Amino acid sequence: MNRLVNLCLPRRRNVGRGCNSYGFSLVELMIAMILGLLVVAGVIQLFVGNRITYSNNEALARVQESGRFALEIIKPFVRGVGDSGFCGGDLRPRIHLDVAGSPDLDFFNWGRPVVGWEAIGTRPGQSTPYLITSLDPDDASFADWGGPGPLPPALRGRSVPGSDILVIRRQELVTGVTGSSTATNNPGQPNIVTNTGHGIAQCEIVMVTNCSTGADIFQNGPSAQANSLTKSGGQCSPGNLSGSASPDWSTSYADDMQLYRTRTLALYVGWNEQTQQPGLFQIDLTGGSANVIAEELVEGVENMQLLFGFSDDGMSLAAGAWRPASEIPDWRQVTAVWVSMLVRSPEVAGTEPLQATFSLAGTDVRNQEDRRFRQVFSSRIAVRNQMIKL
C-alpha cells in the first residue's frame, strides 16, 4: 500500500511492539481539496450575491432619493409663481426694464411668470419614442427648442438634447425695509430712499409697491447706495430704460412701501463635467441675465418633459388642456405645470444591460442600453397665483 507518511512514535515502556502510523492517501487528499474548494466557492458566491444585492439596493435608493428631492425643489417655486407679495390681487406694476426687442424678454416679461421651451422631437403622442443618444449640451443647437420665442442666450449650450426647460418667477419680500418717511421720493427722481439698509446688490431686479397707488419693477443700478435704490446707471443686463424713454415712478413712496426681490430661475437638465453625470441644474436670473452661474441641484436627472395646464376660456380655475410649451398661445392663462423626470443611478448596477421605454408627461423616452437603474418621477403642480387671477 502506498503511504505518504510512515511515522512511528517512540516506544512506550512495557509495550512489546512498535506502533505503525499511516498518513492520508492521495485519493483522500484530493477529496479533501475538492470539499474545501466547494466550501470556498460557496462563500465566494454568497459574497458576490450579497454585493450585487447591496449595489442594487444602493442604486435604487439613490434614484428614489434624487427623484423625490428634485420634485420637492420644484414644487414650491411653481406654486409661488406670479406672487405679488402681501398685496394680493392682480398687481399691475410699471416696468422700467429695457427688454423691448431683447432676447431676454421671456425672462423678465411680467405677463409671463412661468414659461418653458419644448425640445424638438419630444412632442407627446409621437409615433416613435425619443431615443437618448447624447447627454452633451454641445450636441444641441438653440434652435432645437420651441417656446414663446428663441431660446435666450443665457440658456444656450446648457441643456442636454431632448430635455425641456422651465423658467419661473416669483417675488420674495425683503423684510424690515420701507420707503423713508423723511424723504420726498418723488416720481420724477431716479432714486428711492429707504428707511434702512436694504441688502439689494447691484443689478438685482426688484419690485417696490405700496399695494394701492403704485408698483414699479426695475434693476437696481450700480450707483445705488446702502440705503437707497436707483434705476439710473448702466452696466446691467437687461438694464433700465434711460433718457426720454425712462418713465417716472408710478407713485411717491413712503413708509407704507414694500420691497421685493424678483426671483427668476431657469431649470433644465445639464451635464456635470466633473462627475460625468447628468443632473437638474438652475441658473438664477435675479441679478439679470449677464454672468449667470449654473448650479447643480440634483444629480442623476437624465431627462425632463413638461406640459402646461392651459385655461382655454381664461375663466376656469382648472387646467382645461395639457399642452407643450410650443403650443401655448398666452402664458398668462397657464394654471398648472406637469413636471416629469427620468432619474438614473450614478453607478452601474445589476448584471445585464437594460434598455426600456419610459413615459414622461405623455412623451415616450428610451434610454441607451446600459446597466443603470432608472425611474420616472412626475407631479402636476398648480400655479396658485395664476388661478386666483383668472
Side-chain angles (χ1 to χ4, degrees), residues 135 137 160 270-279 281 296 299:
L135 293 174
V160 302
W271 180 257
N272 189 321
E273 292 290 347
Q274 294 182 342
T275 63
Q276 293 294 294
Q277 296 287 340
F281 283 73
E296 185 176 16
E299 68 173 354

Side-chain angles (χ1 to χ4, degrees), residues 348-380:
V348 296
T351 57
E352 297 293 334
L354 298 175
Q355 187 177 38
T357 299
F358 303 89
S359 179
L360 279 70
T363 297
D364 289 335
V365 176
R366 191 168 180 81
N367 68 287
Q368 289 183 315
E369 189 176 86
D370 58 21
R371 291 168 49 206
R372 300 181 189 273
F373 283 1
R374 287 175 172 83
Q375 189 172 341
V376 175
F377 294 84
S378 298
S379 182
R380 303 186 189 194

